[in-house]
């Protein structure tokens, strides 16, 4: 039995590359398997109209040079780097730094051209289904590379929004992308067979930015990794 913990740093570096590098070190120390970021063109992905976070979104956009620095830091501390990719151009950026896996975020599930281009890399691809509202799962050209994550695209997600009784982590979903506050949902998902837990990470939940509030702190990440380690011993 193996369970991967993905610490989703995402935008929580707030556009400060040195802070991002520090966060990589912290998630490694806490026991996470993967430090995850987001690669996007902010102007294209986050339109300015009716977007109170537009300036923040632009500030947190990673350049290719910034990406390389983050990957170098991950290699230095021996933790896997991964990123959600939101446009075709940046797939090549990730291939240039030789990522092991790719990630498609919930909001990109209907961008078939993006998903298929990612699958052409031949690498394992995690896909969150928070915005997929059809009964059957989406079908792509290379399903052997796809691993779906159960997700609710609500920030934060309330525990009452989750009904794990209807979620099959043994044959349908590989894992859980968790937007709740606290660890209860992630712990429950692991106990029910989830092999991947993805959860936002921050150094301070009171920091400025849209994702900090529903992110886990270093102490919570360590607790989650410790629970994972204990669970593995029992199976």
């Amino acid at each position: 039995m193996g369970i991967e913990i993905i610490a989703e740093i995402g935008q929580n570096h707030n556009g400060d590359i040195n802070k991002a590098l520090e966060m990589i070190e912290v998630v490694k120390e806490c026991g996470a398997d993967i430090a995850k970021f987001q690669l996007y063109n902010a102007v294209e992905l986050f339109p300015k109209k009716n977007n109170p976070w537009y300036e923040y979104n632009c500030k947190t956009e990673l350049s290719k040079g910034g990406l390389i620095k983050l990957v170098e830091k991950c290699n230095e501390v021996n933790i896997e780097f991964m990123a959600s990719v939101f446009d075709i151009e940046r797939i090549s950026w990730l291939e240039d730094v030789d990522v092991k896996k790719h990630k498609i975020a919930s909001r990109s599930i209907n961008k078939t051209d993006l998903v298929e281009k990612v699958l052409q890399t031949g690498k394992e691809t995690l896909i969150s289904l928070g915005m997929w509202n059809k009964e059957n799962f989406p079908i792509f050209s290379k399903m052997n590379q796809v691993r779906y994550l159960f997700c609710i695209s609500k920030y934060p997600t309330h525990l009452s929004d989750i009904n794990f009784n209807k979620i099959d982590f043994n044959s349908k979903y590989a894992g859980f992308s968790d937007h709740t506050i606290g660890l209860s949902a992630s712990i429950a998902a692991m106990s029910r067979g989830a092999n991947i837990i993805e959860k936002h990470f921050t150094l301070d939940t009171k920091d400025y930015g849209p994702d900090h509030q529903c992110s886990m702190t270093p102490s919570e990440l360590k607790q989650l990794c410790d629970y994972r380690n204990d669970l593995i011993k029992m199976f």
Side-chain angles (χ1 to χ4, degrees):
M1 180 182 185
I3 302 173
E4 284 189 322
I5 304 293
I6 302 172
E8 165 71 278
I9 295 171
Q11 295 179 300
N12 283 348
H13 52 80
N14 289 358
D16 183 341
I17 196 69
N18 290 323
K19 184 175 185 177
L21 297 173
E22 176 189 0
M23 294 175 82
I24 289 171
E25 292 180 347
V26 174
V27 299
K28 171 62 178 181
E29 291 170 1
C30 291
D33 301 287
I34 297 173
K36 181 176 170 294
F37 291 85
Q38 298 174 5
L39 281 183
Y40 50 78
N41 179 318
V43 174
E44 292 183 1
L45 187 65
F46 304 106
K48 187 174 184 178
K49 186 177 181 180
N50 299 323
N51 178 9
W53 294 106
Y54 178 75
E55 298 298 334
Y56 179 88
N57 296 147
C58 291
K59 183 180 179 182
T60 56
E61 178 183 317
L62 291 171
S63 66
K64 188 171 184 180
L67 165 66
I68 291 171
K69 288 182 180 179
L70 298 180
V71 173
E72 288 176 343
K73 172 58 74 171
C74 286
N75 291 338
E76 177 187 323
V77 302
N78 193 29
I79 189 171
E80 183 178 340
F81 174 92
M82 189 166 70
S84 293
V85 62
F86 292 90
D87 59 69
I88 289 175
E89 176 188 358
R90 285 164 176 76
I91 297 172
S92 63
W93 291 16
L94 292 172
E95 286 298 285
D96 287 344
V97 296
D98 198 26
V99 294
K100 294 180 180 178
K101 291 189 282 290
H102 288 284
K103 174 68 195 294
I104 298 294
S106 290
R107 67 185 296 159
S108 301
I109 186 59
N110 291 307
K111 294 183 177 179
T112 304
D113 57 339
L114 176 67
V115 178
E116 291 292 354
K117 191 69 174 180
V118 166
L119 293 176
Q120 286 177 20
T121 67
K123 295 178 179 177
E124 179 182 339
T125 302
L126 308 184
I127 302 179
S128 289
L129 293 179
M131 293 185 178
W132 182 256
N133 55 13
K134 298 179 183 179
E135 183 175 350
N136 296 321
F137 284 1
I139 301 296
F140 299 104
S141 61
K142 299 181 179 182
M143 292 303 296
N144 61 309
Q145 296 169 209
V146 173
R147 302 184 76 188
Y148 287 126
L149 302 184
F150 172 61
C151 177
I152 296 176
S153 293
K154 183 178 178 180
Y155 305 86
T157 298
H158 301 298
L159 295 180
S160 57
D161 295 323
I162 300 173
N163 186 354
F164 280 141
N165 286 327
K166 295 183 178 181
I167 303 304
D168 181 359
F169 286 116
N170 295 310
S171 61
K172 291 188 176 181
Y173 292 98
F176 178 43
S177 182
D178 182 8
H179 296 137
T180 66
I181 295 174
L183 302 178
S184 297
S186 286
I187 288 172
M190 285 191 286
S191 300
R192 292 184 62 84
N195 291 316
I196 300 169
I197 298 294
E198 176 186 58
K199 190 170 177 65
H200 281 275
F201 172 82
T202 183
L203 298 178
D204 184 354
T205 57
K206 296 180 181 180
D207 207 346
Y208 179 78
D211 293 333
H212 292 283
Q213 179 189 3
C214 60
S215 299
M216 58 184 168
T217 62
S219 62
E220 288 175 322
L221 175 55
K222 187 176 187 310
Q223 289 177 50
L224 186 65
C225 293
D226 287 345
Y227 178 87
R228 180 270 311 272
N229 296 340
D230 288 344
L231 190 64
I232 289 173
K233 293 175 185 177
M234 293 184 277
F235 289 90

